[in-house]
Amino acid sequence: MHTLIENLGRQGALKAAETESARRAIEAAITYMSDEETGVGFLYSGWCQAALPHKRLHDEQVWKVSTERVTLVVEPGRRNLPGAEMEWVGVPYGSRARLILLYLQSEALRTQSRDIELGRSLHAWLGRLGIPIGGKSFKDVREQADRLSRCRLTFHVQAGTGRAGLVNQNIVDTAMFVDDAPGPQGSLFIETARLSETFFDQLRKHPVPLEEAAIRAISNNSAALDIYCWLAYRLHVLSSAKSISWNALYSQFGASYARLAHFKIRFLENLAVASAVYPAADVKADEKGLILKPSRAPVAPRIIPVARIQG
């Protein structure tokens, strides 16, 4: 795909696209290739193996996804109402929730602190990804930040013969918004949010570096984001080719699909988009599933010092 763009140019490559899905992949590749800014984000390895839902669930519904190595359970939080009433807030979902999570974790590792600046910092970061903070966009970011602040999660990670987990753990210890702030919008970013100690500890031990240019190019596609993060986690540690069956892929990525056949079609489309922003990824699809081959990481690995975490 990248060679096609280099040989035919942007317009020529787009004209050569035979389907709308091929066009989306070429557009992602063009955006990625023309991005001259450098930047690295980080994500806890658990999120690269099991991700949030793509679409809104019922507010009281628990989200669960299981893979070969990880089981993720996300429980929705609740909001106090006047009097003794409470209401379910719902689990976070979609691309905005993923971008906020990526921001929180990237900043925590960059500053080596559980306390993450919000407000202008988050606005600036989302702006770098081409997401304006205003109108519906602000509403979407505010809603997903609220859901992330209130939800509780469990990562059960297969480790040897046993299972280790973040048990009933909040992502952050403080909300990212205050509900009773003055002004027409009714809520504002607070100055800082604090990652929970257990989550921060796991992030520092198991970070996966991601290329910001790639995230920018696919920032509105939650499925492609999940596949990109998964490939960034898996490919560079392989010592030989690894086959992943369609059933295993369906278990990990297909919770939104009632039928495996429908999942296959959309997964391959989103795989093409993810591969468009990860040129080194060596991935082939066949009738049995995917064949992953050892590939260079999208970002050169960095050593993240793990020191004693202060409360």
Side-chain angles (χ1 to χ4, degrees):
M1 184 184 303
H2 298 85
T3 302
L4 179 70
I5 295 169
E6 291 171 353
N7 291 339
L8 300 181
R10 174 174 177 170
Q11 295 303 320
L14 289 172
K15 289 181 179 178
E18 297 181 355
T19 64
E20 183 58 32
S21 60
R23 182 182 180 88
R24 285 195 296 270
I26 291 172
E27 286 175 341
I30 290 170
T31 301
Y32 171 76
M33 294 171 69
S34 62
D35 195 326
E36 297 181 354
E37 294 186 28
T38 60
V40 179
F42 292 92
L43 201 62
Y44 167 54
S45 62
W47 287 118
C48 297
Q49 302 171 72
L52 295 170
H54 300 295
K55 297 180 180 180
R56 181 172 184 162
L57 308 179
H58 294 297
D59 286 344
E60 71 281 4
Q61 187 174 343
V62 174
W63 171 254
K64 180 178 179 179
V65 59
S66 295
T67 71
E68 181 183 3
R69 302 177 183 180
V70 169
T71 295
L72 167 66
V73 179
V74 184
E75 301 173 71
R78 293 191 181 192
R79 179 189 296 113
N80 288 320
L81 296 176
E85 296 291 326
M86 299 186 72
E87 67 176 359
W88 292 104
V89 174
V91 301
Y93 64 92
S95 62
R96 298 299 185 257
R98 287 160 169 78
L99 296 177
I100 295 169
L101 268 177
L102 181 58
Y103 170 78
L104 293 174
Q105 294 170 79
S106 300
E107 283 295 289
L109 288 184
R110 185 183 68 81
T111 62
Q112 287 296 296
S113 172
R114 291 169 57 198
D115 295 316
I116 312 302
E117 291 187 11
L118 299 175
R120 291 183 180 178
S121 296
L122 181 56
H123 286 194
W125 190 82
L126 292 174
R128 291 207 309 271
L129 296 178
I131 300 171
I133 300 298
K136 184 179 184 301
S137 181
F138 177 88
K139 181 181 178 182
D140 291 343
V141 169
R142 185 255 181 270
E143 178 186 353
Q144 297 307 319
D146 192 34
R147 288 167 177 255
L148 285 166
S149 296
R150 299 177 189 275
C151 75
R152 299 177 74 82
L153 70 142
T154 305
F155 273 108
H156 290 288
V157 182
Q158 188 73 42
T161 58
R163 294 178 80 86
L166 296 173
V167 180
N168 204 29
Q169 179 68 52
N170 285 86
I171 298 172
V172 295
D173 286 342
T174 55
M176 284 179 264
F177 280 86
V178 289
D179 292 325
D180 57 353
Q185 292 173 319
S187 60
L188 297 172
F189 285 110
I190 62 172
E191 292 183 1
T192 60
R194 169 170 284 194
L195 288 185
S196 65
E197 185 171 357
T198 305
F199 183 70
F200 183 45
D201 186 37
Q202 291 300 308
L203 169 64
R204 298 179 80 189
K205 291 177 180 177
H206 307 287
V208 176
L210 306 170
E211 195 174 10
E212 275 194 11
I215 300 298
R216 272 192 290 273
I218 59 176
S219 61
N220 289 317
N221 186 331
S222 61
L225 284 169
D226 288 351
I227 296 171
Y228 169 77
C229 294
W230 176 63
L231 294 176
Y233 167 74
R234 289 298 305 271
L235 293 181
H236 73 99
V237 298
L238 293 176
S239 58
S240 60
K242 171 74 172 178
S243 297
I244 311 291
S245 71
W246 279 116
N247 283 333
L249 292 167
Y250 187 42
S251 175
Q252 179 171 350
F253 296 103
S256 300
Y257 296 89
R259 297 178 58 186
L260 176 60
H262 295 162
F263 162 74
K264 284 184 181 181
I265 295 171
R266 295 305 301 273
F267 180 85
L268 289 173
E269 292 174 352
N270 289 313
L271 174 64
V273 174
S275 299
V277 299
Y278 187 177
D282 191 349
V283 182
K284 299 292 187 294
D286 60 23
E287 66 280 0
K288 295 181 180 180
L290 293 187
I291 301 173
L292 310 182
K293 296 184 179 180
S295 306
R296 179 175 55 81
V299 178
R302 292 172 55 184
I303 297 176
I304 306 298
V306 179
R308 183 176 181 272
I309 300 172
Q310 302 295 324

